[in-house]
Amino acid sequence: MAFSTTIRQAYQDELAGLRTAGLFKEERYILGPQGADIEVEFPAGADGRPVINFCANNYLGLSSHPDVVAAARRGLETHGYGLSSVRFICGTQDIHRKLEKRLTEFLETEDTLLFPSCMDANAGCFEAILGEEDVMIADRLVHASIVDGMRLCKAMRDTYKHSDMGHLRDKLIEHQDKRIRMIITDGVFSMDGDLAKLDEIVALAEEYNAMVFLDDSHASGFIGKTGRGTHEHCGVMGKIDVITTTMGKGLGGASGGCVSGRRELVEMCRQRARPYLFSNTVAPMIVAGTLKVLDLVFASTERRDRLEANTSYWRRGLTEMGLDLKQGESPIVPVMLYNAKLAQDMARDLFAEGIYVVGFFFPVVPQGAARIRTQLSAAHTQAHLDKGLAAFRKVAGKYGILGKGKREIMEMYGK
Ligand SMILES: *Cc1c(COP(=O)(O)O)cnc(C)c1O
């Protein structure tokens, strides 16, 4: 069947529907490398505009770090451009295994397996580890890639209310008849920036004989005193059975992910996880770059300390000017606006002021919970932060929401 006029029209109508609903996503082109100061072409065809980036996952400011770029370049020269193979045929080099060992040391687990991305790690690991006689019990706000991975797995699926330990306990009791109970959570939740109560989760897992799965993509490299992640922050290192994380955020920002944890579970993934078996290996220059990132993170906590200081300065500044923030301890700082149009309008005005942030609204967050999600970086200087705060004061002032809480903002703008 051809791509007929009728079928083309049907897709055009659907895309037009997205535009009408205000849900159409448009790319903004960055002219040059990722960083705190970037030049952005938006709308497409416009001249590049210099803006300060407050919406990247470049938490440690390593995305374009000269040492990382140099290490990647060396890796390109010593190990070539690509492997033209999946890992288990002829796609594993010495540096792939070296990075897996380094990640194991970093996360303080027993073994690690690289994947093309954390999306792939999450898509593959549940199916590889769990079967029909098991149950997966996930926090209701886990990342979309975990939801997809759970869908691909034959184990029973269940959820508990976000960070509600009473509800999780009920679910663990309910599922005592299963062979394995696996509790599944993000370390830092990406939309709200709050941390999982991992110490309580581990305690419940011990009480009710369950395994714990942690996706620490928004934490690896900077949460915890030495940046090992949420398990370090919560004092439960060595007690998490499976950790997945990405190299595409704090750890250099290129791409790649991993499954790390109990030796046998990682081995099951090496034998069975489909994205590992059927998708190409991580490119050597990315492996070499990530090895350098880990060297930098092992050598000093200076970057994660600066990120922490930047985050508290930013939170304090926004709070003192009277904006309504989601509370949390991560460098994800959501400014609550409740109304979708208000979030979009303010993001557009902030962009005009040279501040790059994005408005989030339904279906990415619940109805009536629209927000601008700001993200801090160790690459932000005092001047960046002060300029950002001044812009927020000006734009929020224009919309009359300084000093206003949820109820007042909703009365002014509706849901
Ligand atoms: C970003 C993210 C992922 C996806 O990571 P990629 O390596 O980009 O595929 C998975 N899980 C969580 C919690 C994330 O935030």
Side-chain angles (χ1 to χ4, degrees):
M1 189 187 68
F3 193 61
S4 70
T5 315
T6 325
I7 288 181
R8 187 187 293 277
Q9 189 59 48
Y11 284 111
Q12 285 178 354
D13 291 348
E14 195 164 333
L15 289 165
L18 288 177
R19 279 186 199 277
T20 317
L23 299 174
F24 196 83
K25 293 175 197 65
E26 269 173 283
E27 293 181 342
R28 299 158 207 225
Y29 305 132
I30 297 182
L31 312 174
Q34 184 62 279
D37 289 297
I38 52 173
E39 205 178 317
V40 176
E41 176 188 324
F42 187 76
D47 285 341
R49 164 188 287 279
V51 291
I52 304 170
N53 195 351
F54 282 99
C55 57
N57 302 314
N58 184 18
Y59 295 114
L60 294 174
L62 294 173
S63 302
S64 307
H65 190 281
D67 293 357
V68 177
V69 173
R73 185 177 292 126
R74 271 196 307 282
L76 178 64
E77 278 156 14
T78 57
H79 286 73
Y81 174 66
L83 268 298
S84 306
S85 171
V86 299
R87 280 288 297 280
F88 88 98
I89 299 180
C90 55
T92 301
Q93 292 170 312
D94 53 344
I95 52 172
H96 290 87
R97 192 57 197 151
K98 191 171 166 198
L99 178 56
E100 289 174 340
K101 291 207 166 116
R102 224 33 192 145
L103 284 165
T104 302
E105 270 175 70
F106 178 69
L107 298 168
E108 293 195 8
T109 49
E110 295 174 5
D111 198 3
T112 300
L113 183 64
L114 291 176
F115 279 79
S117 69
C118 187
M119 171 103 197
D120 285 321
N122 289 338
C125 70
F126 299 109
E127 186 189 19
I129 294 171
L130 302 174
E132 276 169 4
E133 58 282 41
D134 307 323
V135 61
M136 305 175 279
I137 310 172
D139 187 291
R140 287 195 184 155
L141 290 190
V142 292
H143 192 259
S145 57
I146 295 179
V147 175
D148 287 2
M150 289 171 66
R151 282 188 188 134
L152 292 169
C153 175
K154 291 201 171 62
M156 184 181 175
R157 297 189 289 270
D158 205 348
T159 61
Y160 60 96
K161 291 180 204 154
H162 177 53
S163 279
D164 184 333
M165 295 298 109
H167 198 213
L168 173 57
R169 180 189 294 271
D170 293 344
K171 292 293 182 182
L172 288 166
I173 293 169
E174 182 184 332
H175 294 299
Q176 281 301 304
D177 60 328
K178 299 292 189 298
R179 181 187 69 145
I180 294 173
R181 288 153 290 286
M182 182 179 265
I183 306 170
I184 299 169
T185 184
D186 288 13
V188 172
F189 290 89
S190 57
M191 284 302 138
D192 291 356
D194 57 326
L195 271 61
K197 298 170 184 163
L198 216 47
D199 44 348
E200 294 179 51
I201 289 175
V202 166
L204 282 172
E206 284 169 357
E207 190 176 344
Y208 294 98
N209 190 22
M211 300 207 297
V212 179
F213 169 102
L214 168 69
D215 179 340
D216 232 7
S217 291
H218 279 287
S220 294
F222 50 94
I223 298 290
K225 276 211 160 4
T226 63
R228 307 307 172 88
T230 315
H231 56 328
E232 181 182 33
H233 178 90
C234 295
V236 290
M237 283 183 105
K239 296 192 172 170
I240 309 298
D241 303 292
V242 185
I243 299 176
T244 62
T245 192
T246 182
M247 287 118 77
K249 292 192 168 101
L251 298 179
S255 69
C258 69
V259 170
S260 192
R262 307 284 178 208
R263 190 169 298 109
E264 295 75 10
L265 301 182
V266 173
E267 195 53 46
M268 287 302 288
C269 288
R270 194 178 278 111
Q271 300 307 314
R272 281 204 192 144
R274 295 168 70 84
Y276 170 84
L277 294 172
F278 298 116
S279 190
N280 207 42
T281 188
V282 182
M285 64 181 158
I286 293 176
V287 174
T290 309
L291 278 165
K292 173 55 76 176
V293 166
L294 289 176
D295 284 349
L296 295 173
V297 172
F298 270 113
S300 158
T301 61
E302 197 228 317
R303 279 189 187 75
R304 61 90 45 216
D305 296 344
R306 193 167 347 123
L307 174 62
E308 195 168 70
N310 282 351
T311 303
S312 23
Y313 185 79
W314 183 250
R315 271 193 176 279
R316 193 161 0 102
L318 292 176
T319 305
E320 280 172 7
M321 76 177 69
L323 285 169
D324 183 9
L325 306 184
K326 277 254 180 219
Q327 294 313 307
E329 298 167 88
S330 78
I332 297 172
V333 181
V335 178
M336 297 308 294
L337 299 165
Y338 307 102
N339 175 280
K341 183 161 187 310
L342 178 62
Q344 272 175 302
D345 289 347
M346 279 187 59
R348 191 195 54 232
D349 287 6
L350 284 159
F351 188 75
E353 296 291 327
I355 304 302
Y356 188 9
V357 290
V358 176
F360 287 85
F361 40 89
F362 186 78
V364 180
V365 295
Q367 289 277 13
R371 68 197 64 184
I372 286 176
R373 181 181 71 170
T374 63
Q375 290 171 283
L376 282 298
S377 169
H380 287 136
T381 61
Q382 184 75 28
H384 289 132
L385 301 177
D386 287 336
K387 190 153 178 248
L389 290 173
F392 261 97
R393 183 186 297 280
K394 180 170 167 189
V395 171
K398 170 179 160 188
Y399 288 93
I401 58 162
L402 289 175
K404 302 283 199 297
K406 175 174 180 177
R407 200 169 39 82
E408 292 156 298
I409 297 175
M410 280 177 130
E411 273 167 22
M412 290 167 75
Y413 289 95
K415 259 206 185 178

